[in-house]
Amino acid sequence: MIQKYVFGQPVNTDAVVLDIPESQEEFSVMELTESDGIRLCCRMEEEDVVYGLGEQVRGINKRGFSYISYAEDDSIHIESRHSLYGAHNFLVLNRRNQKENPDGSRSFGIFVDDPGKVVFDVGETKRDQLVIQAGGDCVIYVIEGEGMKEIVKQFRRLIGQSYLPPKWAFGYQQSRWGYQNEEDVREVVKGHHDRGIPLEAVYLDIDYMEAYKDFTVDEKKFPEFKSFVGEMKGRGVHLVPIIDAGVKIEKGYPVYEEGVRNHYFCKDENGEDFVAAVWPGRVHFPDVLNPEARAWFGGKYEILMEQGIDGFWNDMNEPAIFYSEKNLKKVMEEVISLKDENLDIDSYFHLTGIVAGLANNQEDYKSFYHNVDGVKLRHDKVHNLYGFNMTRAAAEAFGRIAPDKRTLLFSRSSYTGMHRYGGIWTGDNESWWSHILLSIQQMPSLNMCGILYTGSDIGGFASDTTEDLLMRWLEAAMFTPLMRNHSAKGTRRQEVYQFEHIEDFRNIIRMRYGLVPYIYSEYMKAALKDEMYFRPVAFDYPEDSFAYQVEDQLMVGESVMIAPVYVQNAKGRYVYLPEEMRMIRMRSLEDLTSQVIEKGCHYIGMELNELVIFVKKNHVLPLAVLENEVLTTADLAEADIKWIGFVEEPVEYVFYDDDGISGSCVPEKDWRKVTVRKTDLVY
């Protein structure tokens, strides 16, 4: 059951696709007050658990902290952060003892459709209180159902079907800020292929552009770009360029001149094109909330698609601001005034503070405007919609440019609803062991909000990685739909062939390709049936009290539980099995062993170079047997499908497969029910 409540005059965010009539019933799941916006409050019992909120820090259970939905370009993802790049205003309060609650309170999901700042105080101020503070113009949806899975499923139906990427996007991908030219890319491809390491894509960060201008290619670095794209495709490798939100201010640059001429850029309070700065220096921001400007900007992707590009990643689209022209002038004047001063501790920290405060300054977000259907909207009131609509611009354009083909597309910033147009990656993390755990914990929360195509920067974006950290991270990311190794300029090179134990890395990445039939099948089923691909353990075992305490294991698809190692020098870890399961130990696709382990908590040894997964009772998963060299997902067409699992009596597995590229699905052809017997299992 979904109830809709409307307050004030909300902006249509397009987060929701179902037409839900406004409820005439009293708002009852939380206490509601309308003072300085909308404030919702309810009591949480000791055993209550809160899930959701998409891309955030801390654990799977969100109790004990405050989370602010306000998309922020902040690369330091530590526990004290309240906001990251996305804004996903949906949570589920699971009342585990709801049958015994004397006030009749019950489990529910709540979605606050407000594109401005929303604060979720999940027991930080008062441990037993959930408090939500939103603006006065918003829509709130309350969802009730039989258990957490049903509540999430209803929400997923409310916001629409998740994005379907091409099958090649499930292969192993390599990225680095710093690949400068054709030879750098050729070296990366050769480094993988010479060692038999599968590789599906190489990413082009901002260095490929001419002076950091969107939809341009530096002809000195890539003199025959179309030919080079074709050369890479001939080797089975897709090139995936970055697109940033800011359009460089430069006479003679067509994108800039068209945007100015047609009033497609965001305006300042005086009606002039707003001036900020990012990579190229001074820029304008396309007004992607304006349908005309959105269609124009999205159409520019065709410039690169005509040269053979079939995948993109959108960045800096919170939007990130290094400085605004107005604020820079103010700060420079103040800095100059301090030139000959004797700076004591207060004045010194004031100086460093005003300089640091240039980037992503909240006052800047209040100083430019959007035109939405003739209505002038101040940016900070709709801030969280920018990344969503930049990605929507591209996806809508792909529907016009290549309607019968799936194009890879994911974004850094997002709002609920963007999941229909693309995925996300979780942004600029660090080469820290704790960020392996963070990436594990973010996956189910993102899935709850519809974002299925997602993953973290494997190995860590910033800082220097180590061989053991990279190997453990690859194992932890074995089932993430986006499996991309990405690092920053100036850090240690972390392509897997740069390390000593290349054969171990080769085996791990080949295991990914062996598991692609399961990963792709389960992803597509989750997308097409509004399910979760990654789930907290308690979602599958809601009657198991201990399952609610598990913060570092996940259910993946219908058959698998994962429990990755994320601690330096660990030789294994404790794993909680909510039921008897079969443990499968994979050292390579040719070296598998298994054993049945009873319900309970067990210490499981896990060597650095092996993958350990757990299969539920009466469940199986398909495994591609790679007898010949496999370098891309296209090579999997020739692979034999074998079965691993835990069955005594025959079980039925619904296997989804398609051509991996077509824009639509044909259920009669793509869905196949397979009966698997114990004698069919290889393990």
Side-chain angles (χ1 to χ4, degrees):
M1 180 178 69
I2 302 176
Q3 293 177 298
K4 173 182 177 181
Y5 300 89
V6 180
F7 301 92
Q9 296 180 312
V11 173
N12 179 15
T13 65
D14 288 322
V16 166
V17 298
L18 291 185
D19 184 14
I20 304 292
E22 188 172 350
S23 178
Q24 301 304 311
E25 296 184 20
E26 181 182 353
F27 193 95
S28 59
V29 297
M30 301 181 74
E31 179 185 324
L32 186 153
T33 56
E34 297 185 58
S35 176
D36 191 27
I38 301 299
R39 184 180 188 272
L40 307 173
C41 179
C42 73
R43 177 179 172 82
M44 294 187 292
E45 302 297 332
E46 187 63 30
E47 297 300 311
D48 290 351
V49 180
V50 178
Y51 294 110
L53 297 180
E55 185 182 31
Q56 277 291 0
V57 297
R58 301 208 175 199
I60 296 174
N61 179 2
K62 297 302 180 186
R63 285 195 69 165
F65 197 54
S66 290
Y67 309 89
I68 300 174
S69 281
Y70 200 75
E72 186 168 1
D73 171 24
D74 188 340
S75 62
I76 310 301
H77 304 172
I78 55 179
E79 285 191 31
S80 60
R81 292 297 187 259
H82 295 272
S83 303
L84 293 179
Y85 306 103
H88 312 114
N89 303 341
F90 172 65
L91 61 77
V92 173
L93 173 58
N94 183 54
R95 297 197 182 278
R96 291 178 51 203
N97 297 326
Q98 64 184 28
K99 293 179 182 178
E100 303 170 13
N101 289 346
D103 62 355
S105 56
R106 55 203 184 276
S107 300
F108 63 89
I110 189 165
F111 171 48
V112 181
D113 193 3
D114 180 347
K117 185 176 292 185
V118 182
V119 179
F120 296 85
D121 185 340
V122 192
E124 181 186 41
T125 303
K126 291 186 177 180
R127 178 166 175 77
D128 64 349
Q129 280 192 1
L130 168 63
V131 179
I132 303 172
Q133 184 73 48
D137 301 309
C138 65
V139 182
I140 296 177
Y141 296 86
V142 176
I143 307 170
E144 297 180 89
E146 294 297 322
M148 296 178 288
K149 280 188 177 180
E150 175 58 27
I151 290 172
V152 172
K153 191 177 183 73
Q154 287 188 71
F155 176 65
R156 292 281 304 282
R157 287 172 178 158
L158 178 70
I159 60 176
Q161 180 187 291
S162 297
Y163 160 74
L164 302 179
K167 186 183 286 186
W168 65 261
F170 291 81
Y172 180 66
Q173 305 174 49
Q174 177 60 46
S175 181
R176 181 175 174 84
W177 174 19
Y179 295 153
Q180 293 285 330
N181 50 41
E182 290 182 358
E183 288 311 309
D184 285 351
V185 176
R186 287 192 182 101
E187 177 191 329
V188 170
V189 174
K190 186 175 188 298
H192 287 82
H193 285 183
D194 284 357
R195 297 162 179 85
I197 302 168
L199 180 66
E200 208 76 32
V202 175
Y203 283 70
L204 303 178
D205 211 313
I206 57 176
D207 300 296
Y208 82 93
M209 302 179 194
E210 177 193 327
Y212 308 122
K213 291 183 290 189
D214 280 340
F215 312 113
T216 67
V217 177
D218 190 322
E219 293 183 357
K220 292 180 180 178
K221 298 176 179 179
F222 297 91
E224 299 290 339
F225 188 66
K226 184 173 183 178
S227 175
F228 182 62
V229 173
E231 175 192 329
M232 290 296 103
K233 282 193 174 178
R235 300 185 188 185
V237 175
H238 300 259
L239 296 183
V240 183
I242 197 169
I243 303 293
D244 286 332
V247 171
K248 185 176 184 180
I249 298 172
E250 180 181 280
K251 288 185 178 180
Y253 172 34
V255 181
Y256 161 72
E257 293 192 338
E258 286 177 26
V260 170
R261 184 168 60 249
N262 294 293
H263 304 287
Y264 288 150
F265 294 126
C266 295
K267 305 295 184 182
D268 64 18
E269 58 268 30
N270 298 317
E272 301 295 323
D273 292 329
F274 176 70
V275 179
V278 282
W279 302 115
R282 290 180 171 86
V283 300
H284 294 322
F285 291 129
D287 187 1
V288 288
L289 275 66
N290 177 341
E292 288 185 20
R294 185 165 64 241
W296 164 76
F297 188 75
K300 294 302 175 186
Y301 286 76
E302 189 171 10
I303 295 170
L304 294 170
M305 296 176 79
E306 287 176 337
Q307 299 180 73
I309 295 297
D310 51 11
F312 298 89
W313 52 311
N314 287 341
D315 196 14
M316 305 294 283
N317 54 353
E318 291 71 34
I321 297 176
F322 290 174
Y323 61 86
S324 70
E325 195 168 55
K326 181 174 68 173
N327 200 22
L328 178 64
K329 181 180 179 181
K330 177 183 174 183
V331 169
M332 291 299 290
E333 289 173 351
E334 192 162 357
V335 169
I336 291 169
S337 74
L338 296 171
K339 179 181 177 182
D340 298 318
E341 296 293 320
N342 177 23
L343 301 180
D344 61 14
I345 185 170
D346 295 326
S347 53
Y348 170 73
F349 282 120
H350 172 69
L351 171 64
T352 57
I354 61 172
V355 173
L358 280 170
N360 305 313
N361 189 286
Q362 294 302 306
E363 292 305 310
D364 288 336
Y365 290 130
K366 296 177 182 178
S367 64
F368 67 97
Y369 296 81
H370 300 273
N371 175 9
V372 180
D373 299 325
V375 178
K376 184 178 177 181
L377 295 176
R378 201 174 76 186
H379 173 80
D380 64 309
K381 302 296 184 182
V382 292
H383 173 73
N384 293 329
L385 294 180
Y386 197 88
F388 169 2
N389 280 281
M390 180 183 172
T391 299
R392 178 183 181 180
E396 289 176 341
F398 300 160
R400 300 188 299 270
I401 298 164
D404 299 322
K405 178 182 176 182
R406 292 185 230 158
T407 302
L408 173 61
L409 179 63
F410 58 91
S411 170
R412 190 169 76 176
S413 187
S414 61
Y415 181 76
T416 304
M418 198 205 79
H419 70 287
R420 301 192 298 272
Y421 301 102
I424 71 163
W425 91 104
T426 56
D428 297 345
N429 57 9
E430 299 267 351
S431 297
W432 297 343
W433 290 89
S434 62
H435 277 188
I436 300 180
L437 176 60
L438 177 61
S439 69
I440 294 166
Q441 293 172 331
Q442 288 176 329
M443 293 301 108
S445 299
L446 287 165
N447 275 207
M448 286 176 66
C449 299
I451 300 168
L452 300 185
Y453 190 77
T454 185
S456 64
D457 286 343
I458 294 169
F461 175 71
S463 306
D464 291 333
T465 197
T466 60
E467 183 177 73
D468 56 339
L469 185 146
L470 179 58
M471 204 171 291
R472 289 297 195 195
W473 208 320
L474 283 164
E475 291 159 5
M478 183 62 65
F479 290 91
T480 59
L482 171 61
M483 192 186 201
R484 183 180 75 151
N485 178 333
H486 183 45
S487 56
K489 184 184 293 186
T491 64
R492 179 183 185 179
R493 293 290 293 261
Q494 63 185 48
E495 299 88 357
V496 295
Y497 57 79
Q498 304 281 357
F499 297 91
E500 180 181 0
H501 296 90
I502 294 174
E503 186 63 22
D504 289 337
F505 283 112
R506 177 178 178 271
N507 283 335
I508 290 168
I509 295 171
R510 287 184 77 248
M511 280 188 261
R512 164 66 173 215
Y513 279 74
L515 290 165
V516 161
Y518 178 76
I519 295 167
Y520 187 72
S521 182
E522 293 302 308
Y523 179 98
M524 295 297 282
K525 286 190 283 187
L528 296 172
K529 295 185 176 183
D530 301 313
E531 304 283 359
M532 293 173 67
Y533 172 77
F534 283 115
R535 301 177 303 283
V537 175
F539 272 53
D540 283 31
Y541 301 92
E543 302 303 320
D544 186 326
S545 295
F546 196 79
Y548 290 89
Q549 301 178 48
V550 176
E551 286 279 324
D552 56 1
Q553 301 171 203
L554 296 177
M555 310 307 299
V556 187
E558 68 173 58
S559 303
V560 172
M561 185 181 78
I562 60 170
V565 173
Y566 54 89
V567 176
Q568 186 174 348
N569 299 318
K571 299 290 186 182
R573 55 160 291 171
Y574 280 95
V575 179
Y576 176 67
L577 272 59
E579 66 171 325
E580 183 182 53
M581 292 185 175
R582 180 176 292 278
M583 180 181 72
I584 298 179
R585 193 180 294 275
M586 304 173 70
R587 298 175 185 87
S588 71
L589 284 173
E590 296 75 34
D591 184 4
L592 283 73
T593 58
S594 74
Q595 68 181 97
V596 174
I597 302 180
E598 65 184 15
K599 175 182 177 177
C601 195
H602 306 269
Y603 182 81
I604 307 293
M606 299 180 188
E607 292 300 321
L608 184 59
N609 62 350
E610 65 181 0
L611 175 72
V612 176
I613 64 174
F614 302 87
V615 182
K616 295 171 67 174
K617 200 167 189 177
N618 300 317
H619 285 77
V620 296
L621 62 152
L623 184 72
V625 178
L626 315 178
E627 295 184 0
N628 299 317
E629 184 177 60
V630 170
L631 295 177
T632 73
T633 52
D635 299 325
L636 294 175
E638 305 301 320
D640 291 331
I641 297 295
K642 302 295 184 182
W643 297 90
I644 56 179
F646 185 13
V647 298
E648 296 296 331
E649 301 297 324
V651 299
E652 190 176 78
Y653 180 79
V654 178
F655 189 23
Y656 182 93
D657 198 18
D658 57 22
D659 64 10
I661 199 70
S662 296
S664 60
C665 308
V666 184
E668 302 81 33
K669 179 172 75 72
D670 300 331
W671 300 86
R672 184 159 51 95
K673 292 182 179 180
V674 181
T675 300
V676 181
R677 297 170 176 81
K678 186 176 182 180
T679 54
D680 298 323
L681 299 179
V682 292
Y683 285 99

